[in-house]
Amino acid sequence: MRIDRSTLSLDQPVSSLDPNRGTHEEAAEWLRHGPVVPVALPDDVRAWAAMSAEAAQTVLDAHPDLSSDPRHWGAYTRGEIPAGWPLLNLIVGESMLNADGMDHRRLRRLVSHAFTPRRIDAFAPRIREITRELLDDLESAKPGDVTDLKEGFAYPLPLLIICELFGLTDPDQQRRLRGHFRTMLSVEVSGAERQAAAVGQRKVLARLVADRREAPLGDLTSALIEALDDEAGRLTEKELIDTLEIILLAGHETTVNSLTSTVHALLTHPDQLRALLGGELDWPAAVEAGLHWNAPLRNLFMRYALRDTVLHGVTVRRGEPIVVGLAAANREQRGTVPARFDIRDSRLYDRQLAFGAGPHFCLGAPLARLESAIGLSQLFARFPAMRLAVPESELVPVISTAINGLDALPVVLRPASV
Ligand code: HEM
């Protein structure tokens, strides 16, 4: 059936975003209606979803009619979005993620200044050490034992790294922050619980800032405070906390899923794993192929139309929001979402969208790439015979509107038969 795209509108969504549904299964259905489709998000909040690679690129590039600033979101400014709406806290935070133009450049420059590639590279030996310590903890697994690799490795690795970079070294505070972030992202808790978690998370970060003010260290929180105090008015206290929030959250939730998905891919493509272990393929390429196969962000929330604008045949009205279906767009080819994990075919991932595109392109991409390559190479060097502990069809996806990944990754680190 041919669909007249010009008749599509937010008044008649073609589908509802269902966090319980498979990311790619949902994308395949939405794409049948076109590259940009009207959908209903949780609580019947309406948005356009850009699902094709081309549409995602159009939205993410510096489009003159689109903004990242939620003050241009009609339904939000009219007070129609419930307070505990999933991700609202992040969407309306005063960080670079939600800023445009000069403001965006100001907020981003301050962080990139404290977060240079040289600083990240200098951290590589410490990343190796943290990885080694986590793998040492997994050593106790006996032949045949089942280990959840997400809980025991993929989750703690990026969390420990980002917390250490920002000087949040107290394990108790780290645990608290992790708990709050999990609740904030969960679709299985109430809006009130999500709000309480957001408050709890801010307390942990406010305490971190107060501690570093009193006793600065060589970490990135101290560097940010220095930028704030040095050039009065360039970064407000709220912007500082919101910036820490976005970096600490973005700095681990995404990488967890990149690690988990790539291990999943390698365990189900043993020929490619053998080539990696034999040195014929390299680990950074495996990371890219894994990001392409399953981009850690299912949907990117959001952009807002500054004026009525036509996008790939649909008219987006002023104030209407657009979600980018990143995981789908990253795979999309001529309206389908083929699943191909192929490290050898760099055309698949040379221009991928897993880290976004345009002015908001992920600031942490070099760190994510580095820690993923180190993590994966050390993991498989230590446990080269690792295998899935359940049939692939029994792996359970995360229930989330934003994240694309697995709920758990049960593996046998040392198969009994080896
Ligand atoms: C595999 C891991 C990661 C993925 C897939 C990922 C993905 C993304 C994407 C898609 C965006 C664009 C958001 C937008 O356009 O609105 C983004 C932005 C951002 N990411 Fe990442 N990210 C990852 C890791 C990290 C890490 C490790 C950090 C921090 C250390 C980080 C910090 C940020 C920040 C600060 C932004 C906002 C940039 C801006 O608005 O200018 N990310 N990320």
Side-chain angles (χ1 to χ4, degrees):
M1 189 186 62
R2 233 188 133 70
I3 290 159
D4 179 3
R5 290 192 211 155
S6 65
T7 61
L8 293 175
S9 93
L10 287 197
D11 294 335
Q12 283 182 311
V14 298
S15 184
S16 298
L17 196 163
D18 179 357
N20 288 294
R21 231 174 136 196
T23 301
H24 300 293
E25 178 199 338
E26 179 174 82
E29 186 213 304
W30 290 10
L31 273 161
R32 278 195 279 121
H33 299 273
V36 184
V37 289
V39 296
L41 305 179
D43 296 322
D44 201 24
V45 170
R46 306 286 170 89
W48 294 94
M51 304 302 289
S52 72
E54 207 186 339
Q57 189 79 48
T58 311
V59 172
L60 294 173
D61 278 342
H63 194 296
D65 298 334
L66 302 180
S67 163
S68 291
D69 186 336
R71 285 173 297 185
H72 297 291
W73 182 9
Y76 174 65
T77 53
R78 290 192 298 272
E80 292 167 12
I81 309 300
W85 195 69
L87 303 182
L88 188 64
N89 191 54
L90 280 178
I91 293 175
V92 302
E94 289 176 27
S95 77
M96 69 188 98
L97 197 60
N98 308 322
D100 298 326
M102 295 273 286
D103 244 2
H104 173 250
R105 282 193 290 280
R106 173 178 64 90
L107 293 166
R108 186 171 167 122
R109 198 169 44 229
L110 282 170
V111 182
S112 38
H113 183 64
F115 209 60
T116 57
R118 211 159 56 108
R119 215 164 175 157
I120 300 304
D121 279 349
F123 201 57
R126 184 63 191 126
I127 296 179
R128 285 196 196 95
E129 214 169 274
I130 294 174
T131 308
R132 204 165 36 244
E133 284 163 15
L134 284 171
L135 292 174
D136 288 347
D137 289 347
L138 297 180
E139 276 290 341
S140 58
K142 296 186 185 53
D145 276 0
V146 175
T147 302
D148 177 2
L149 204 66
K150 180 166 179 183
E151 194 59 32
F153 183 71
Y155 213 110
L157 179 63
L159 182 68
L160 288 171
I161 290 169
I162 198 73
C163 283
E164 189 161 318
L165 270 170
F166 281 85
L168 190 77
T169 46
D170 175 358
D172 187 45
Q173 298 285 65
Q174 287 177 351
R175 250 192 311 278
R176 259 187 227 181
L177 195 68
R178 175 182 170 177
H180 292 321
F181 281 157
R182 277 196 164 173
T183 308
M184 282 165 65
L185 290 177
S186 173
V187 290
E188 292 166 294
V189 300
S190 67
E193 282 171 283
R194 253 184 245 118
Q195 274 182 290
V199 172
Q201 167 266 132
R202 295 186 72 79
K203 275 192 192 150
V204 175
L205 296 180
R207 164 88 187 274
L208 170 67
V209 170
D211 286 352
R212 284 301 163 275
R213 269 227 165 86
E214 222 175 274
L217 295 174
D219 55 45
L220 298 186
T221 303
S222 304
L224 275 178
I225 293 171
E226 207 178 295
L228 168 111
D229 291 343
D230 254 18
E231 303 174 61
R234 284 198 59 194
L235 190 66
T236 66
E237 193 77 22
K238 168 123 172 58
E239 286 172 338
L240 172 66
I241 299 283
D242 287 1
T243 298
L244 284 173
E245 174 187 353
I246 173 70
I247 295 179
L248 284 161
L249 182 60
H252 79 283
E253 262 307 328
T254 44
T255 317
V256 175
N257 295 291
S258 144
L259 282 165
T260 316
S261 289
T262 311
V263 172
H264 167 199
L266 291 171
L267 294 180
T268 50
H269 296 76
D271 53 320
Q272 297 186 52
L273 177 57
R274 267 195 303 277
L276 281 163
L277 292 171
E280 292 156 53
L281 293 172
D282 63 28
W283 290 100
V287 171
E288 298 304 309
L291 284 166
H292 166 264
W293 190 59
N294 264 315
L297 287 179
R298 173 180 186 157
N299 291 302
L300 190 64
F301 296 85
M302 316 212 246
R303 299 292 190 270
Y304 315 96
L306 293 168
R307 52 194 76 83
D308 291 2
T309 179
V310 176
L311 274 184
H312 295 266
V314 302
T315 302
V316 179
R317 302 276 170 212
R318 178 167 173 245
E320 290 181 347
I322 306 167
V323 169
V324 180
L326 268 191
N330 217 23
R331 281 189 181 186
E332 187 268 342
Q333 280 175 8
R334 289 186 290 279
T336 64
V337 278
R340 262 187 77 205
F341 175 79
D342 189 349
I343 305 173
R344 289 186 176 88
D345 188 354
S346 62
R347 284 170 312 171
L348 283 177
Y349 50 78
D350 268 352
R351 297 177 58 207
Q352 67 170 309
L353 292 165
F355 290 114
H360 290 271
F361 180 82
C362 178
L363 192 71
L367 174 63
R369 287 178 156 134
L370 182 70
E371 63 193 8
S372 300
I374 292 177
L376 290 168
S377 60
Q378 287 193 207
L379 171 70
F380 281 102
R382 186 84 72 105
F383 302 109
M386 180 184 11
R387 62 168 173 73
L388 282 179
V390 296
E392 190 184 6
S393 57
E394 287 177 23
L395 294 174
V396 178
V398 176
I399 300 174
S400 169
T401 53
I403 298 287
N404 176 41
L406 293 172
D407 190 44
L409 185 59
V411 299
V412 178
L413 293 168
R414 290 196 184 83
S417 57
V418 174

